[in-house]
Amino acid sequence: MSWRGTVLLLILAGVALGYLFFSDRTRTHPPEEPLLAIDPNSASEIGIQEGNSLISLTRTNGVWMIGNAQSGQSDRANPSLVNSLLETAAEIVPLDILRSQDLKDKVTLASLGLKNPNRSIAIRAGKKETLSIGSEGAAPESLYVRLDSGKTVYLISGKIASIAFRPIQEYRDPRLTSLSPDHLDEISFTTPSKEIVPQQLLLKRDQKGNRGWLLESPVSTVGDDTAITSWLNSLLASQIIRWMPEGTDSASCGLDTPEALINLHEEGATNPLVITIGAPTPDATGYFARISDRPGIGVIENKVSTALAVTPLALRSKKLTQVEFDTVDRIEILNPSLLSLTRKADNDDWLLSEGTSSNVISGEKVKEWFDQLQNLSASSFEAATPEHLMARGLSETNLPATIRLIARLSENTAQENAGETLLAEYTFGSETNNEIAVRQGDAPELLILPAASAEILKTFSPPIPASATNAPTPAVTP
C-alpha cells in the first residue's frame, strides 16, 4: 500500500472515532440541564401510552382536546392537568446518567424495563421527543427513562409519571363549560319538571347603551346586572365530579324529564350551548347532566342546586328607572304642595321654589339627594291592578306624592313648558304594614319598598318666604 493510502486510512479511522465519540456526547444531556428541550407554550401534541391504552391530546386554536380512539369522539381536556404535565416535563433534570458503556452484566436495557417499555410520553413542541419510562430506580421515587431511541439511560424524578399516567376520564375538563358570562348575549332557563311549578327565565343583552341585561320573561323589565353575572358565574363554575360509563341510559339519569334546561347563546354563535340537568344521583353527590358540545353524561356537584333555585325576583332590577343626573334640568316634588328644583344656567347650584318663594340649594346637596332616590330598592313587586292601587293608596281618589324628573330641550321658547320632556315620574302611595308602593309612570307593576323610603319626599324644606328676609326674592326661571 502506498503512503497515500495509509494516510487516507488513518484519516478515515480518526473521523470514525471522532464520530463515535461526539455522537455519544450529543445524545447524552449534560447534568443539571433539562432533559427535554421543550417550551410548554409551544407544545401542540401529547401522546401518553400505557400498555394498550393511548391518550392523545392536541392543541386546537389554543384549546387542548382529548381524543377517544374507541368512540372517535373528542372533548375538552383539563387545561390545569395538561399545563402541569408540560411544565413538569420541561423541568426534568437527570439525577444520574448511564451511558452505553455502563450497560453491561446485569445492568441492561431489559433489566431497567427499557428494551420494550410499557409506558411512554411523547411531546411535540416544534420537534417530537419521546420519553420511554422504565422501572423504578434505586433512589426513592425515581425512574429509569430513555429519550427517543438513544442508548443512554437517565435516572429522573418519578413526579412526571404520577401526573401523566391516570385514567382517561381524569383528563377531561371538569368545568361545565368554557363559556364566559361576558360573551353571552341571550340566556334561557327553563324548569319543566312536574315536581315544581314550570317557569322560564329569558334574559337578553340590551343592544343599546351599556349592553346591560334585560329580563324578557316572565316579566319584561330591566335586569340586575350584578345579580345576573353572579348567578352565571355560580352556574358556569360548577364542576363535573365524574363521568358515567359510555352507553349509560339517559332516561335512568332523569335526562328525558329534566329538572332544568339552560340555553346559553354566545355572541356570534349559530347555535346555543344546551345544558340539561337531570335527576339527583342516588348517592346524593350531585346531579346528572348532559352538555350539548361534550360527549357522555356527567355528574355535576351538588352546589349547582343553588343556581337552579334562581327566581325572576333575584335577577330583575329592584331599583327605580335610572336617569342620568346631568340630563335633569328640573325636579318637581308634590308632597302635598309643589316644590320645584331648577338647575341654574350659570353655575352648579339649583333654585328651590314654592309659589313665589325661592332660595338657592347647592348642586352637591341635590346630587346627594338624587343618588339616594336612584338607589331606592324594592323588596317585592305587585301588579298595578285597581285592587292593589286602592290598597296601596294610589287610586285616583287619593292625592299621592309624586317626584318628576324633567329635561329642558330648549331654553328659548315662547311658552313656559315648551321644549320640556318628562324623563321619569315616581308616584308614592301611602304606608301599609311598614311598606310603601311606588309606581313609575303608568307601569303595570308596583315596586314595594320599606316605608322609610318615603322620607326622600321630605328632604327639601319649603323655601323661606321672601318677606322673612331682607334679601330680594330671586327671579324664578322655569
Side-chain angles (χ1 to χ4, degrees):
M1 179 181 294
S2 67
W3 65 271
R4 290 186 178 85
T6 302
V7 171
L8 181 59
L9 287 175
L10 290 173
I11 292 173
L12 291 174
V15 170
L17 289 173
Y19 172 78
L20 292 174
F21 177 75
F22 287 107
S23 174
D24 182 64
R25 291 192 62 183
T26 56
R27 286 180 291 182
T28 302
H29 286 251
E32 301 180 0
E33 288 189 11
L35 182 60
L36 299 173
I38 64 169
D39 174 12
N41 295 323
S42 65
S44 58
E45 295 177 14
I46 303 173
I48 302 169
Q49 176 262 330
E50 184 173 23
N52 295 325
S53 172
L54 175 64
I55 298 175
S56 299
L57 299 161
T58 306
R59 195 201 297 260
T60 304
N61 297 325
V63 178
W64 282 101
M65 302 294 292
I66 179 172
N68 189 321
Q70 295 179 345
S71 64
Q73 295 177 318
S74 64
D75 190 16
R76 292 194 317 274
N78 184 339
S80 297
L81 179 57
V82 175
N83 291 336
S84 178
L85 172 63
L86 289 171
E87 290 172 1
T88 301
E91 294 171 356
I92 293 176
V93 174
L95 303 174
D96 195 8
I97 300 175
L98 298 177
R99 294 178 174 82
S100 57
Q101 59 267 32
D102 299 322
L103 301 177
K104 55 187 177 181
D105 299 331
K106 294 183 179 181
V107 181
T108 63
L109 290 177
S111 67
L112 299 178
L114 290 170
K115 185 174 183 180
N116 296 300
N118 187 54
R119 301 185 295 175
S120 66
I121 304 170
I123 300 174
R124 183 181 297 280
K127 67 174 182 177
K128 182 178 179 180
E129 294 187 276
T130 301
L131 195 66
S132 299
I133 309 295
S135 59
E136 294 184 0
E141 298 182 354
S142 63
L143 293 169
Y144 288 110
V145 301
R146 190 159 58 127
L147 185 60
D148 297 325
S149 58
K151 296 180 180 180
T152 303
V153 175
Y154 302 92
L155 182 67
I156 67 169
S157 165
K159 181 180 179 181
I160 185 69
S162 63
I163 295 175
F165 301 109
R166 56 181 65 206
I168 190 171
Q169 298 288 25
E170 293 188 23
Y171 272 94
R172 298 180 70 173
D173 191 348
R175 296 175 300 168
L176 185 63
T177 172
S178 60
L179 294 180
S180 165
D182 295 337
H183 298 151
L184 298 176
D185 61 9
E186 185 174 330
I187 304 161
S188 170
F189 178 83
T190 309
T191 54
S193 173
K194 296 179 181 179
E195 297 179 2
I196 58 177
V197 178
Q199 73 168 2
Q200 181 184 39
L201 292 174
L202 181 59
L203 298 161
K204 289 187 177 181
R205 289 277 190 189
D206 186 359
Q207 298 303 314
K208 303 177 182 177
N210 62 359
R211 285 181 49 77
W213 285 103
L214 300 175
L215 180 61
E216 297 205 344
S217 177
V219 294
S220 180
T221 186
V222 177
D224 183 333
D225 289 347
T226 301
I228 292 171
T229 300
S230 176
W231 172 65
L232 281 173
N233 284 332
S234 172
L235 174 66
L236 301 184
S238 300
Q239 298 279 303
I240 297 175
I241 55 178
R242 66 179 183 272
W243 292 90
M244 300 301 292
E246 290 186 25
T248 297
D249 180 37
S250 61
S252 66
C253 298
L255 293 168
D256 291 354
T257 55
E259 295 274 338
L261 288 173
I262 305 162
N263 291 345
L264 304 174
H265 202 289
E266 191 175 22
E267 296 172 355
T270 303
N271 299 312
L273 175 73
V274 181
I275 301 172
T276 306
I277 307 294
T281 59
D283 60 3
T285 57
Y287 288 80
F288 295 110
R290 185 167 50 205
I291 305 94
S292 60
D293 67 341
R294 308 188 69 178
I297 297 172
V299 174
I300 303 179
E301 58 189 341
N302 260 330
K303 71 177 186 179
V304 75
S305 60
T306 302
L308 299 181
V310 69
T311 64
L313 179 61
L315 300 184
R316 66 177 299 175
S317 174
K318 300 168 186 64
K319 294 183 179 180
L320 303 176
T321 300
Q322 300 294 286
V323 177
E324 290 291 336
F325 179 67
D326 292 341
T327 65
V328 179
D329 295 306
R330 188 154 61 87
I331 301 170
E332 293 181 351
I333 305 174
L334 179 65
N335 185 39
S337 61
L338 179 62
L339 295 179
S340 177
L341 284 159
T342 304
R343 188 191 294 270
K344 299 187 71 174
D346 53 348
N347 56 46
D348 293 334
D349 292 338
W350 290 66
L351 199 63
L352 174 61
S353 305
E354 182 187 23
T356 60
S357 301
S358 62
N359 64 339
V360 175
I361 303 293
S362 71
E364 291 181 358
K365 183 175 181 180
V366 176
K367 180 62 166 61
E368 181 182 356
W369 172 87
F370 184 86
D371 290 342
Q372 291 174 357
L373 173 68
Q374 295 284 280
N375 285 320
L376 291 178
S377 182
S379 57
S380 60
F381 298 85
E382 288 181 359
T385 62
E387 293 79 8
H388 287 161
L389 292 173
M390 177 68 74
R392 295 290 184 178
L394 288 167
S395 64
E396 295 180 357
T397 59
N398 296 325
L399 294 175
T402 303
I403 296 175
R404 297 186 183 95
L405 306 180
I406 301 168
R408 182 178 294 114
L409 303 181
S410 173
E411 299 210 2
N412 300 314
T413 56
Q415 298 180 359
E416 181 178 347
N417 293 325
E420 291 189 343
T421 183
L422 183 64
L423 300 176
E425 180 180 68
Y426 312 118
T427 305
F428 291 71
S430 56
E431 181 179 339
T432 305
N433 297 326
N434 295 319
E435 295 177 336
I436 189 169
V438 176
R439 190 178 190 185
Q440 303 183 99
D442 58 354
E445 281 190 313
L446 304 179
L447 287 77
I448 310 303
L449 289 75
S453 302
E455 294 297 317
I456 199 89
L457 295 160
K458 306 173 184 178
T459 301
F460 297 105
S461 301
I464 301 173
S467 59
T469 66
N470 295 322
T473 301
V476 178
T477 304

